[in-house]
Amino acid sequence: QVQSVESGGGLVQAGGSLRLACAASVSFSRTTGMGWYRQAPGKQRELVADVTSGGKINYADSVKGRFTISRDNAKNTMYLQMNSLKVEDTGVYYCNARTIIGTSWGQGTQVTVSS
């Protein structure tokens, strides 16, 4: 079971930037994949960005060119750099980690983008 803690959320004006961090209890090399998902009020959780152990990176079409996923193996931390934020990006952002045991989620961090 992977334990993850998200941080970096907050309130930002449209067009601004935020950097989210996910501190995981295991190294990225021991996972099959990690990523960021978000959930807006009244909507289902959706993929934002994901990277597999094989190095394949996927971004939601709505964030391509604006968001960047990265990791620091020494710190067991995954990041999501969010630029040119839009009101539509508002939601709770969750860290996802996958291993041979199963899939784990962090508690989430709130991102609110104002117009």
Side-chain angles (χ1 to χ4, degrees):
Q1 180 82 293
V2 178
Q3 296 179 351
S4 302
V5 179
E6 301 96 333
S7 63
L11 175 65
V12 65
Q13 192 174 37
S17 300
L18 283 174
R19 190 190 192 198
L20 306 183
C22 169
S25 61
V26 300
S27 65
F28 180 79
S29 64
R30 295 176 182 176
T31 69
T32 59
M34 295 185 69
W36 291 95
Y37 289 70
R38 69 187 180 190
Q39 186 168 19
K43 297 183 178 180
Q44 295 188 350
R45 190 173 300 180
E46 64 178 357
L47 169 73
V48 176
D50 187 270
V51 56
T52 70
S53 59
K56 180 177 175 59
I57 300 175
N58 293 316
Y59 292 99
D61 289 341
S62 60
V63 307
K64 285 183 178 178
R66 300 188 297 118
F67 291 10
T68 303
I69 188 171
S70 63
R71 68 182 190 274
D72 185 332
N73 292 333
K75 296 181 178 180
N76 295 335
T77 302
M78 178 177 64
Y79 302 94
L80 183 68
Q81 178 66 47
M82 306 186 294
N83 299 325
S84 301
L85 282 163
K86 304 175 180 179
V87 173
E88 304 90 85
D89 294 318
T90 294
V92 179
Y93 284 67
Y94 296 91
C95 179
N96 168 269
R98 304 181 295 281
T99 69
I100 58 174
I101 298 175
T103 300
S104 300
W105 298 91
Q107 85 288 349
T109 185
Q110 177 71 44
V111 172
T112 303
V113 183
S114 65
S115 60

